[in-house]
Amino acid sequence: MVAPSYDLPDARGHFGPYGGIFVAETLIPALEELRAAYAEALKDPAFIAEFEYDLKHYVGRPSPVYHAKRWSEQLGGAQIYLKREDLNHTGAHKVNNCIGQAILARRMGKKRVIAETGAGQHGVATATVAARYGMECVVYMGSEDIRRQAANVYRMKLLGATVVPVESGSKTLKDAMNEAMRDWVTNVSETFYIIGTVAGPHPYPMMVRNFQAVVGKEAIGQMQEHCGRHPDAVIACVGGGSNAMGIFHPYIPVESVRLIGVEAAGDGLETGRHAASLNAGRPGVLHGNRTYLLQDENGQIIETHSISAGLDYPGVGPEHSWLKDSGRAEYATITDMEALAAFHTLCRMEGIIPALESSHALAYAAKLAPTLPKDKVLLVNLSGRGDKDIHTVAEKSGIKF
Amino acid sequence: MSKIQATFERLRAQRRKVLIPFITAGDPDPALTVPLMHALVEAGSDIIELGVPFSDPMADGPTVQRASERALAKGVSLRKVLGMVANFRADNNETPVVLMGYANPIEAMGVEEFAAAAFDAGVDGVLVVDYSPQESGEFAKAMQANALDPIFLLAPTSTPERVAEVAALASGYVYYVSLKGVTGSSALDVKAVTARIPELRAALGVPVGVGFGIRDAKTAGAVARAADAVVVGSRIIEEIESSTAEDVCARVRDLVIELREGIDDAMMPACAGEC
């Protein structure tokens, strides 16, 4: 039942051929400082205690696991359970990681934090913890995303953060990440870069995963309470892949549990307008690690599309690349239209407005459940709430406020 | 002996320092790259660093980013850059050419195929900004198997252990990044930069070029007193940006002549201390 222990990455941050450290020399010492500080913090009970205290009292953890009974009955197959990360403070799983990194930044004596953001969820979570810990906060955001996500930009400003528009490249998440890296390399002595997903150079993919693994650890106990056993499959959406890595990681050694990541197929894989790096990309090097990337034949990174800004990224965390190649996890795709349908269904059937990102995982569960008997159990990571998405959904439905 | 090594030895014998300009291949137009390379040589450049455009140039400031975007908009790819080098070689078989860029276009082509094609085109060295030494053992081997010098970056923040890692792989020269930041920044501290060079040169066993933030002849001269080579990029690209297709070669030539004079003047014996 339980596989030999899983202990990736190796000392230099490799998950098989993926991960690693692919950055200019100027950043190497900063990454080494971070690696050493993180390793030391993990051995310090006070660090762990503070992280757990804030997760409980500030974020509101543990987040519940909820049996979506009406929806499961309607689908007529496997039972669907939802891990309710949408109920966290700031409305998504992102805050778990931000708290971990902010406490680490303070231990390292860094007074300034920077972040990249696409939809604005990671930016809001970073601005939130920066306010909570009294740190200066600068968030890089593509000017195109700023236009699309005005409410989150205002949220970040309310929380005291400076939002810097990024005008280079495609003016979206990947360019915001480039710009945050440039800031970091310039201000490296006083600045901590809070990366929002399980990508970037080592130790970020490992560190972010470990901070997010609280999601999976809680779920193991909660599923035991609900069902007296492990779920048959765990389903999560994958952009960079932090919510998926968080819920997958504790389940990796439990071989009976299928791990299913769901990528954004946008208008459909065949149209080329999507963000499914694992399904339609090939390995390459971007943002400090080797991983599956959406790129043209000359190795230039191509622009992606998804209705959900949080999945609109041309790469993916390197551990997902490894889980795909090794066969431990499967990666499916869901189109914009399928995700929208699942969004509306969950609103109507369960009284929960899910994030469009999470709606991709829900849509896949809705496809899978009817093919399975009623005693099978699916656990879906409901990684965020959909309040931020109501304008996008309204626009798609032709509704004006 | 590699062409790069020979260049450093020739200039050392003349008690002069190596001038390495950087331009992005295909900027402002693919048809102008080879003429610009010849203009750089006429103005007194010793080695040319030719940037390979990439969609996500993480280590570059806005100037080089814009150059990269202009080149990509004109359809420049790694294979086309190799074609430009081959064209340059039709009229110049002496001046070493170093390609500088990011890992992904090279990996997309395949490291082995790239190494062979780069050699055939007449490339002499390759600097991959995001290949740190611990990730580039195989790459360095493929380069050296094809008589190409793998060029590495070092920074003010590099520890002695890092310097040793680079020393084990590097040939040609090492590019010492003179400041914390991206290309085109303007905060070069000449004293701090030059203080570290003797130690680096001794540890590395190859010449040390200095770049990032060198914007005028005076700074170029001051850096040249300590370094083996001076690299100037963003300043030249600014000149290209503000030129027309008609006057770009002449303007770049004039700028590089100034830099050359700044470096040569600084090396005159009478000038060794103050000028």
Side-chain angles (χ1 to χ4, degrees):
Chain A
M1 188 91 167
V2 173
S5 68
Y6 176 88
D7 60 356
L8 295 178
D10 68 15
R12 286 192 143 176
H14 296 112
F15 304 88
Y18 303 108
I21 298 181
F22 293 87
V23 296
E25 179 64 23
T26 34
L27 274 180
I28 295 284
L31 290 167
E32 176 52 28
E33 183 194 7
L34 175 61
R35 192 202 56 74
Y38 177 59
E40 198 188 302
L42 283 182
K43 289 185 216 141
D44 181 356
F47 174 79
I48 306 295
E50 185 175 6
F51 178 56
E52 288 175 352
Y53 183 94
D54 273 9
L55 287 185
K56 180 174 178 185
H57 298 283
Y58 189 64
V59 176
R61 303 205 70 89
S63 67
V65 164
Y66 166 73
H67 183 190
K69 260 191 209 149
R70 271 194 86 210
W71 192 35
S72 303
E73 269 166 35
Q74 186 212 28
L75 291 166
Q79 301 305 304
I80 299 177
Y81 288 78
L82 306 175
K83 179 62 172 161
R84 298 289 309 274
E85 291 299 296
D86 61 313
L87 295 176
N88 292 341
H89 180 42
T90 74
H93 71 291
K94 291 285 185 191
V95 71
N96 303 326
N97 165 54
C98 288
I99 285 180
Q101 290 197 47
I103 298 174
L104 186 58
R106 204 186 45 199
R107 277 174 70 93
M108 294 170 72
K110 312 279 185 186
K111 295 187 163 40
R112 177 175 183 267
V113 296
I114 58 170
E116 82 293 338
T117 198
Q121 288 309 102
H122 175 57
V124 168
T126 303
T128 300
V129 300
R132 160 85 177 78
Y133 298 110
M135 293 164 157
E136 183 192 345
C137 178
V138 175
V139 178
Y140 289 92
M141 188 167 182
S143 58
E144 181 58 23
D145 288 336
I146 287 182
R147 193 186 58 74
R148 291 191 288 193
Q149 301 286 340
N152 268 344
V153 174
Y154 186 55
R155 269 185 202 110
M156 288 184 264
K157 287 180 178 167
L158 285 175
L159 292 159
T162 305
V163 180
V164 180
V166 176
E167 302 287 354
S168 57
S170 57
K171 304 176 172 58
T172 58
L173 177 58
K174 77 175 178 72
D175 310 285
M177 200 153 175
N178 291 334
E179 209 53 41
M181 289 271 186
R182 291 180 187 120
D183 178 313
W184 197 31
V185 80
T186 308
N187 304 295
V188 65
S189 48
E190 71 271 20
T191 299
F192 189 105
Y193 179 15
I194 300 187
I195 293 185
T197 191
V198 286
H202 180 64
Y204 281 103
M206 171 184 79
M207 181 171 72
V208 175
R209 174 201 73 194
N210 291 349
F211 286 139
Q212 292 293 3
V214 64
V215 178
K217 286 178 199 159
E218 286 174 3
I220 285 182
Q222 290 165 322
M223 291 311 291
Q224 206 64 38
E225 280 175 34
H226 277 287
C227 310
R229 66 180 183 91
H230 289 305
D232 297 289
V234 176
I235 304 170
C237 65
V238 177
S242 70
N243 90 81
M245 251 357 283
I247 198 163
F248 285 178
H249 187 250
Y251 283 109
I252 290 174
V254 190
E255 283 180 333
S256 65
V257 179
R258 281 173 71 188
L259 304 177
I260 306 172
V262 184
E263 293 195 298
D267 292 343
L269 289 190
E270 69 289 352
T271 66
R273 281 176 49 77
H274 59 79
S277 330
L278 290 164
N279 279 281
R282 45 180 216 289
V285 173
L286 179 70
H287 291 152
N289 64 101
R290 180 175 283 125
T291 192
Y292 278 84
L293 300 173
L294 292 170
Q295 52 181 314
D296 69 13
E297 70 280 8
N298 294 312
Q300 307 296 343
I301 307 306
I302 56 182
E303 288 180 26
T304 53
H305 167 77
S306 168
I307 189 170
S308 130
L311 303 183
D312 207 347
Y313 178 67
V316 62
E319 195 164 10
H320 286 295
S321 296
W322 170 244
L323 290 175
K324 172 191 159 79
D325 283 11
S326 68
R328 178 63 191 94
E330 325 155 36
Y331 293 88
T333 60
I334 284 293
T335 64
D336 286 355
M337 294 314 290
E338 291 170 323
L340 264 174
F343 174 96
H344 287 297
T345 303
L346 204 72
C347 291
R348 296 293 181 91
M349 295 297 296
E350 298 289 351
I352 296 171
I353 302 177
L356 283 172
E357 289 79 4
S358 322
S359 298
H360 287 71
L362 294 166
Y364 189 76
K367 273 188 179 177
L368 184 60
T371 69
L372 298 170
K374 288 186 176 174
D375 62 346
K376 293 287 179 185
V377 172
L378 306 180
L379 174 63
V380 178
N381 197 6
L382 184 52
S383 55
R385 70 176 82 127
D387 307 43
K388 69 183 175 61
D389 296 317
I390 56 175
H391 289 275
T392 307
V393 174
E395 204 174 286
K396 284 278 165 188
S397 316
I399 293 164
K400 281 205 176 97
F401 286 108
Chain B
M1 186 188 304
S2 82
K3 215 184 277 176
I4 293 174
Q5 196 186 345
T7 300
F8 275 95
E9 293 199 359
R10 177 169 52 81
L11 271 98
R12 190 178 305 126
Q14 299 169 354
R15 303 183 59 82
R16 295 170 73 222
K17 294 298 172 74
V18 172
L19 171 59
I20 310 179
F22 169 96
I23 58 170
T24 297
D27 172 44
D29 189 277
L32 286 168
T33 297
V34 173
L36 272 170
M37 291 170 79
H38 289 305
L40 292 170
V41 175
E42 283 163 31
S45 304
D46 305 300
I47 296 174
I48 295 172
E49 279 186 2
L50 195 57
V52 179
F54 181 48
S55 53
D56 293 79
M58 250 168 46
D60 285 300
T63 306
V64 177
Q65 286 174 49
R66 285 195 300 271
S68 211
E69 285 177 14
R70 284 192 294 269
L72 289 174
K74 302 236 169 169
V76 175
S77 63
L78 178 54
R79 285 174 200 278
K80 288 186 180 168
V81 175
L82 292 174
M84 294 174 196
V85 177
N87 285 343
F88 173 72
R89 283 283 173 251
D91 298 304
N92 180 323
N93 205 27
E94 288 77 46
T95 309
V97 174
V98 172
L99 297 187
M100 180 168 176
Y102 292 79
N104 204 54
I106 291 175
E107 295 206 352
M109 186 171 174
V111 169
E112 295 292 335
E113 188 187 343
F114 164 73
F119 174 80
D120 289 343
V123 171
D124 299 283
V126 181
L127 194 173
V128 183
V129 176
D130 47 355
Y131 268 158
S132 55
Q134 73 265 33
E135 299 288 357
S136 49
E138 276 176 37
F139 173 76
K141 263 184 230 154
M143 293 298 104
Q144 278 157 348
N146 286 278
L148 299 164
D149 286 321
I151 313 292
F152 288 94
L153 295 170
L154 280 173
T157 43
S158 300
T159 59
E161 294 76 42
R162 297 293 299 174
V163 176
E165 269 190 279
V166 167
L169 295 172
S171 62
Y173 60 98
V174 161
Y175 187 153
Y176 183 58
V177 174
S178 55
L179 45 84
K180 292 181 206 158
V182 292
T183 55
S185 312
S186 57
L188 173 65
D189 178 347
V190 174
K191 263 193 192 156
V193 170
T194 53
R196 187 130 187 236
I197 290 173
E199 166 219 325
L200 287 175
R201 197 187 282 123
L204 291 164
V206 294
V208 178
V210 171
F212 281 36
I214 299 173
R215 304 187 51 80
D216 54 40
K218 188 163 170 269
T219 316
V223 168
R225 280 193 207 110
D228 301 301
V230 177
V231 188
V232 183
S234 295
R235 178 65 191 87
I236 295 174
I237 289 173
E238 284 168 17
E239 202 67 21
I240 291 173
E241 261 184 336
S242 63
S243 301
T244 63
E246 288 69 39
D247 69 2
V248 65
C249 286
R251 283 184 56 183
V252 166
R253 189 185 300 114
D254 290 349
L255 171 65
V256 173
I257 286 170
E258 258 179 59
L259 295 167
R260 176 82 259 171
E261 284 172 358
I263 292 170
D264 288 349
D265 288 353
M267 298 308 294
M268 302 291 278
C271 226
E274 279 291 311
C275 55

